Amino acid sequence: MNSRRQFLGKAGAATLGISISGIETLSAMNSAPQKLMEDRVLNVAIMGLGSYGTRVAKAMESCTRAKLVGLISGSPEKVVAWREKYNIPAENCYDYGNFDAIKNNPAIDAVYVITPNALHAEQSIRVAKAGKHVICEKPMAINAKEGKEMVDACREAGVHLLIGYRMHFEAKTLEVVRMREAGEFGKPLFFQGLSGFVIGDPTQWRLDPKLSGGGAMMDIGIYSINGARYMLGEEPIWVTAQEVKNNPEKFRDGIDETITFQMGFPSGAVASCLSTYSMNNLDKFYLNGTKGFAEMQPSTGYGPIEGRTDQGPLVAEHVMHQTTQMDEMAKLIFENKAPKVPVDGEEGLKDMVIIDAVFKAVKTGEKVSLV
């Protein structure tokens, strides 16, 4: 029977004028484009060569799917130093005035925008209009209106907009998400997020409302907002918030020092969070359910992340977060590989809507609806 089936298969192929080897060749040709995408390296230009840009560049030295190939900076002296260190061609280097010319540079696939918050929207939209994929550091903008403009511009340009949510690829974080989805904690009831540190130099851009769009909430509080969403697996439906400012000279109008805020979720779960620029040792997530819990401290620092659940310690190899992030973003762009926790512009926009609501709740003293 098998020999008869093989004979008929060969006869049919011969009738069509196609040899068996030809069929195999066609099959290989069809799979070749996918294989090419799986091997393709994402060529990235970093915009903003400050401390975090430096961290990303260092992390990318260990990437297998992403490579630093270009620079965009307003500091010529930094460009010179980085060119020498990373062997960047002169034709791949730009300043903030002329970087629209990347449109004509096929050596660059994407730009990672790592500049002050207030510059993100305008710069990201320019990158999109130049036809390059956008990776933007969080927060994606200074408010939801700007975030929506970024999402729309990238969609219109047909490019990806990704937000630098490195924790969405971190192994211990993803294990907690897996356990929650598997029901190992039972019904989630409560989340606590503590995010803060004592900020230093009072002249830095993070304490300038025109550049930052806010204080601790924009910088560190967003981790608790985002963490509550992926730890509980729901979107909040209301927010309340209170602000404390003990040092108005350092934290002037438009710069929040400390905000405590609460969020309610459709299931009845609640989140209680704190964002501050005036206290150290605050980097903790706690998730409590009807059957168990997860506790992480540090929960969002550069690592290693430490944590435990009611079942024991969380164990995973520590890899530089930005290394994993950039490799996984390359797969997302070239292979449409969806991450467990989204990192697209819509994800970033959700956080901006909540941040806007937190600031409104502080100002009005009222519960702000998110639905």
Side-chain angles (χ1 to χ4, degrees):
M1 182 65 72
N2 287 339
S3 61
R4 182 174 183 271
R5 189 175 291 120
Q6 291 168 357
F7 170 79
L8 290 174
K10 292 179 180 179
T15 300
L16 292 172
I18 304 173
S19 68
I20 295 299
S21 61
I23 293 174
E24 293 171 346
T25 301
L26 287 173
S27 176
M29 289 173 63
N30 288 334
S31 64
Q34 178 59 31
K35 179 63 176 175
L36 182 62
M37 289 296 100
E38 291 176 357
D39 292 338
R40 186 171 174 182
V41 171
L42 182 69
N43 291 323
V44 179
I46 289 181
M47 180 187 295
L49 310 184
S51 61
Y52 195 72
T54 300
R55 180 174 291 274
V56 171
K58 178 176 176 57
M60 288 181 67
E61 293 180 40
S62 301
C63 284
T64 59
R65 295 294 304 275
K67 181 180 180 182
L68 175 61
V69 301
L71 308 171
I72 304 172
S73 175
S75 302
E77 67 280 1
K78 288 185 179 180
V79 172
V80 171
W82 280 55
R83 277 193 59 200
E84 181 177 346
K85 181 173 183 179
Y86 293 106
N87 194 28
I88 307 294
E91 60 269 25
N92 290 357
C93 298
Y94 305 86
D95 60 38
Y96 296 138
N98 68 10
F99 73 81
D100 307 88
I102 60 173
K103 179 178 183 178
N104 303 313
N105 190 338
I108 296 173
D109 299 315
V111 175
Y112 196 157
V113 179
I114 314 178
T115 53
N117 306 336
L119 306 179
H120 288 179
E122 185 260 343
Q123 291 172 337
S124 295
I125 290 170
R126 286 173 63 187
V127 170
K129 288 182 176 179
K132 304 300 181 180
H133 300 295
V134 181
I135 304 171
C136 183
E137 191 45 40
K138 60 84 194 160
M140 67 184 297
I142 62 171
N143 53 48
K145 178 180 180 295
E146 284 193 353
K148 178 66 163 53
E149 291 170 354
M150 293 166 64
V151 170
D152 291 345
C154 290
R155 182 181 295 117
E156 183 177 345
V159 300
H160 285 276
L161 170 59
L162 308 177
I163 312 302
Y165 289 122
R166 57 189 167 82
M167 302 312 301
H168 293 198
F169 304 104
E170 196 278 321
K172 293 178 183 177
T173 299
L174 291 179
E175 174 61 9
V176 172
V177 172
R178 184 203 66 77
M179 293 176 71
R180 187 259 303 157
E181 290 181 339
E184 295 183 33
F185 303 128
K187 179 183 178 181
L189 300 173
F190 175 74
F191 172 83
Q192 181 187 49
L194 305 178
S195 301
F197 63 93
V198 176
I199 197 165
D201 180 10
T203 66
Q204 63 180 281
W205 69 262
R206 288 179 179 82
L207 297 180
D208 181 347
K210 293 181 180 179
L211 290 175
S212 66
M217 180 60 61
M218 301 292 282
D219 182 20
I220 193 74
I222 189 173
Y223 283 108
S224 283
I225 289 174
N226 193 252
R229 294 175 49 235
Y230 64 69
M231 294 281 270
L232 289 168
E234 294 186 89
E235 298 300 327
I237 56 176
W238 58 258
V239 169
T240 55
Q242 308 79 35
E243 182 177 9
V244 175
K245 186 172 290 192
N246 293 316
N247 188 345
E249 292 183 4
K250 185 175 184 179
F251 305 103
R252 48 186 163 156
D253 288 346
I255 298 294
D256 49 285
E257 177 184 353
T258 299
I259 293 179
T260 56
F261 61 100
Q262 304 76 40
M263 295 181 284
F265 295 80
S267 68
V270 293
S272 177
C273 304
L274 181 146
S275 166
T276 185
Y277 264 163
S278 61
M279 288 179 272
N280 285 324
N281 306 309
L282 290 175
D283 182 12
K284 179 179 179 179
F285 284 175
Y286 178 75
L287 176 67
N288 194 32
T290 55
K291 293 182 180 179
F293 70 88
E295 183 178 51
M296 307 175 75
Q297 186 174 18
S299 57
T300 63
Y302 293 141
I305 301 302
E306 300 291 345
R308 66 189 181 100
T309 73
D310 57 288
Q311 301 177 33
L314 294 167
V315 179
E317 179 185 2
H318 172 64
V319 179
M320 264 188 98
H321 299 166
Q322 296 82 3
T323 300
T324 305
Q325 170 194 323
M326 297 306 293
D327 275 341
E328 291 299 316
M329 284 184 168
K331 296 175 186 177
L332 192 160
I333 289 173
F334 293 136
E335 303 169 31
N336 289 318
K337 179 183 177 182
K340 184 70 173 176
V341 184
V343 294
D344 58 16
E346 295 287 352
E347 175 76 2
L349 182 56
K350 290 175 182 177
D351 282 344
M352 296 315 305
V353 169
I354 297 169
I355 287 177
D356 285 355
V358 168
F359 287 145
K360 182 178 179 180
V362 165
K363 185 176 181 179
T364 65
E366 298 175 354
K367 179 186 288 188
V368 177
S369 174
L370 293 168
V371 295

